Amino acid sequence: MAVGGTDEISAVLRRAVDTYLDHLTVERALAVNTLASYRRDLDRYVEWLAEAGVKDLADVSARDIAGHVAALRSGAPALSASSAARAASAVRGLHRFLLLEGLAPNDPSREVKPPSLPKRLPKALDVDQVARLLAVPDGSGPLGMRDRALLEFLYGTGARISEAVGIAIDDLDLTGRHGMVLLRGKGGKTRLVPMGSYARSALDAYLVRSRPALVTNGRGVPAVFLNARGGALSRQSAWTILRKSAVRAGLPVDGPTGVSPHTLRHSFATHLLDGGADIRVVQELLGHASVTTTQVYTLVTVDKLREVYATAHPRAR
C-alpha cells in the first residue's frame, strides 16, 4: 500500500529501518543489490504501517504484520510468491534486530507464519539431453548393461530411484511390446506402470546376458538390479550411476539445474504432459495420492508454452 505523502510516515519508523540497513551494510556486508531490495521491501512495510495509523514500533501487532504479508500477494501490483517471501523475511529480520538491540519491547513477527513458496522442481531434461544420458552406458559388459537398463527403466517408468532398486524379478511382466512393472511407492502403495519398448529391450538384454553373471557373485537375491558382488543395488549406488553418466553426457550435476536423483522422473512427467497426456493419467503413473501434487508439473509445461509462444508468434513481443 502507498500513502498520500511521506510526512505520514513517522520519523521513528524511518529511523528504525535506517538503523537496520546500516547494520546489514556494516556487519553483514550484503551486496548493493540485496540492500536495495531490502530497502524497497521495508519502505513498503513502513508505508503500510503509516496508512494503518501505526507510528511507533511498540504499537506494531502480529495482526499488522499479517495484514501486510497478505497484501503483498493481493495488492496492486501484487508481488510474486518469491518476492513476497523475501519481503516478509525482511520484515521479520527488522523486528528480530530491533528486539536484540533493545530498540523494541517485543518481536510481533514471531507470531506470523511466513508465506510459503510454491514447490519448485529440479529442471527437467529435454528429449535430446535424455537421449545423450541414456546413450552413455556402453552395454558391452555386465555392469554397463545393468547401467543402461537402470537409466532406461527410470525414464521409461517415472519410478523413484528407491522404487527402481526395490523391484524384484516377480514384479516384472515382460510379455508384450512394452511390458509392465509393479512399483512399490510411499506408504506401501503399489501401482502397475508400463515401461516402454526401450526400457523393456534394455531390461531383456540385462536379464538374459548380464544379471546371471552378477548373481553368481552373491546369494541369489530376488532384486532385479544387482551390484558387482551379486547383492541388491543400493539407492546411493544407483544415484552414483546416474551422476557419473550425466557427467559423461556433458550435463550439469551441481546447482539448481543439475541432474538429481529425481531428474529422470521429472523429465518423464514433463514430457508426458508436453505430449498431451491427461494429468490424471500422469498422477497414476507417478503414484501421487493427490492430483494437486502432480499439478506442479503443469507449471513447467505452461512455462514451455509461454516460451514457444514468445518465440514463434509474430506479435508476441
Side-chain angles (χ1 to χ4, degrees):
M1 281 190 177
V3 294
T6 56
D7 291 342
E8 297 179 37
I9 301 175
S10 75
V12 174
L13 295 179
R14 288 199 179 281
R15 189 161 55 248
V17 169
D18 290 340
T19 301
Y20 179 49
L21 291 173
D22 287 344
H23 163 75
L24 294 179
T25 302
V26 176
E27 302 296 334
R28 300 278 300 278
L30 295 186
V32 173
N33 289 342
T34 302
L35 288 168
S37 296
Y38 270 65
R39 166 68 74 180
R40 287 192 298 270
D41 293 334
L42 294 174
D43 282 349
R44 187 186 296 109
Y45 176 52
V46 295
E47 287 175 358
W48 166 271
L49 293 177
E51 185 158 299
V54 178
K55 296 185 179 297
D56 193 311
L57 287 164
D59 299 327
V60 176
S61 67
R63 178 175 293 182
D64 293 322
I65 298 174
H68 170 67
V69 170
L72 293 173
R73 296 301 311 277
S74 60
L79 299 184
S80 67
S82 58
S83 295
R86 183 203 63 223
S89 177
V91 171
R92 292 197 304 275
L94 170 67
H95 282 284
R96 283 197 299 267
F97 168 76
L98 296 175
L99 176 63
L100 290 173
E101 294 295 313
L103 301 174
N106 53 51
D107 176 8
S109 70
R110 289 185 299 183
E111 303 175 37
V112 180
K113 183 179 179 180
S116 58
L117 285 169
K119 183 178 179 181
R120 300 183 67 86
L121 295 171
K123 185 178 180 182
L125 302 178
D126 61 36
V127 175
D128 289 339
Q129 289 174 319
V130 170
R132 279 163 45 201
L133 177 64
L134 300 185
V136 166
D138 57 24
S140 59
L143 297 182
M145 295 175 70
R146 178 206 61 191
D147 294 353
R148 173 166 290 182
L150 174 65
L151 297 185
E152 288 281 5
F153 182 84
L154 289 170
Y155 178 61
T157 63
R160 302 174 179 92
I161 279 189
S162 58
E163 294 171 342
V165 298
I167 61 170
I169 294 295
D170 289 343
D171 295 327
L172 296 175
D173 178 3
L174 298 181
T175 60
R177 181 165 177 261
H178 294 96
M180 302 287 290
V181 61
L182 181 69
L183 295 176
R184 292 172 174 79
K186 294 181 178 179
K189 295 180 179 178
T190 61
R191 66 188 188 277
L192 275 173
V193 179
M195 63 184 71
S197 60
Y198 284 83
R200 183 192 179 285
S201 296
L203 270 173
D204 258 342
Y206 163 67
L207 292 174
V208 173
R209 298 162 48 199
S210 173
R211 189 178 180 278
L214 297 177
V215 167
T216 60
N217 298 329
R219 299 180 179 180
V221 298
V224 170
F225 295 107
L226 304 180
N227 57 34
R229 298 181 302 279
L233 190 70
S234 69
R235 182 175 56 185
Q236 292 76 14
S237 295
W239 165 217
T240 299
I241 292 168
L242 174 61
R243 184 182 178 90
K244 288 182 177 179
S245 297
V247 170
R248 290 179 58 192
L251 301 173
V253 292
D254 298 312
T257 61
V259 173
S260 77
H262 294 297
T263 294
L264 289 178
R265 178 172 165 85
H266 297 322
S267 303
F268 166 87
T270 302
H271 297 167
L272 281 174
L273 290 167
D274 282 343
D278 184 270
I279 190 171
R280 295 282 182 181
V281 174
V282 178
Q283 174 196 356
E284 182 68 24
L285 292 172
L286 292 175
H288 288 159
S290 170
V291 74
T292 57
T293 307
T294 317
Q295 283 173 337
V296 177
Y297 293 97
T298 66
L299 301 178
V300 179
T301 60
V302 167
D303 287 343
K304 178 71 173 178
L305 289 174
R306 289 197 184 105
E307 178 185 340
V308 172
Y309 177 82
T311 56
H313 195 282
R315 291 186 181 272
R317 295 180 293 277

